[in-house]
Amino acid sequence: MDIAWYIARWALPLNVLTGHWPPPDEREMCLLIARGEEVDADDLDVAYSAAGGAWIGGVMVGILLTSVSMALGDHVHPGFEILSFVSLLVMGLCLGLFLICHCRTWMLDRAYYAEPGTWAERIATRLSRPRAYDIVLAAAGSVWPAMWAAGYV
């Protein structure tokens, strides 16, 4: 099971922060991808746009949580700095997943416009499919910036 798409399925209401209310079919597409089932390119394009909106909503929530917890850490109790670090990690994870999702959407477009049977079409098709390790890439990319922003490095 792909954890990132399973989380995206439940994070779809965060699309409201970007001005889009997701219909039920977007949630089902995310669930199909999370289960590892094969979906066609049109459904994948719908799922990528829905998940991208959810990840941007997650970044917005992360910014809010980070700013509130940093202010509370400065004025109320230093223990809130731990919450701010976790919020920075979540914000970085959501941003990383959005960027990965955006790149996969771009590759999906390149596969659509490429000549059928060419090496460019095969590579773009292969790179446009969701991978289970996307969440690991996003998490690995979010640790160092979160530690830097929190002042731990």
Side-chain angles (χ1 to χ4, degrees):
M1 176 177 270
D2 191 353
I3 299 296
W5 283 96
Y6 187 74
I7 294 170
R9 178 179 182 249
W10 293 106
L12 282 181
L14 292 176
N15 270 333
V16 174
L17 296 174
T18 62
H20 171 69
W21 184 256
D25 62 333
E26 290 180 358
R27 183 174 287 222
E28 292 305 315
M29 282 298 116
C30 291
L31 182 61
L32 289 175
I33 295 170
R35 289 181 182 158
E37 296 180 21
E38 193 68 30
V39 294
D40 63 346
D42 293 333
D43 292 337
L44 198 58
D45 191 32
V46 169
Y48 279 149
S49 65
W55 297 132
I56 286 298
V59 170
M60 291 178 186
V61 169
I63 290 170
L64 176 71
L65 284 175
T66 301
S67 60
V68 167
S69 60
M70 282 187 169
L72 289 174
D74 289 341
H75 300 293
V76 177
H77 191 273
F80 282 106
E81 290 181 6
I82 296 170
L83 179 62
S84 68
F85 178 67
V86 171
S87 300
L88 284 168
L89 283 175
V90 168
M91 185 175 61
L93 179 70
C94 289
L95 183 61
L97 286 170
F98 169 74
L99 292 174
I100 290 170
C101 192
H102 184 68
C103 289
R104 295 216 188 275
T105 302
W106 186 73
M107 281 293 154
L108 191 65
D109 291 341
R110 294 301 152 262
Y112 179 76
Y113 291 119
E115 293 291 326
T118 61
W119 64 272
E121 190 260 340
R122 288 192 307 264
I123 290 173
T125 301
R126 181 166 290 191
L127 290 176
S128 68
R129 307 306 293 176
R131 303 281 187 237
Y133 56 79
D134 286 347
I135 195 163
V136 175
L137 290 174
S142 69
V143 171
W144 180 260
M147 289 178 66
W148 175 78
Y152 295 144
V153 179

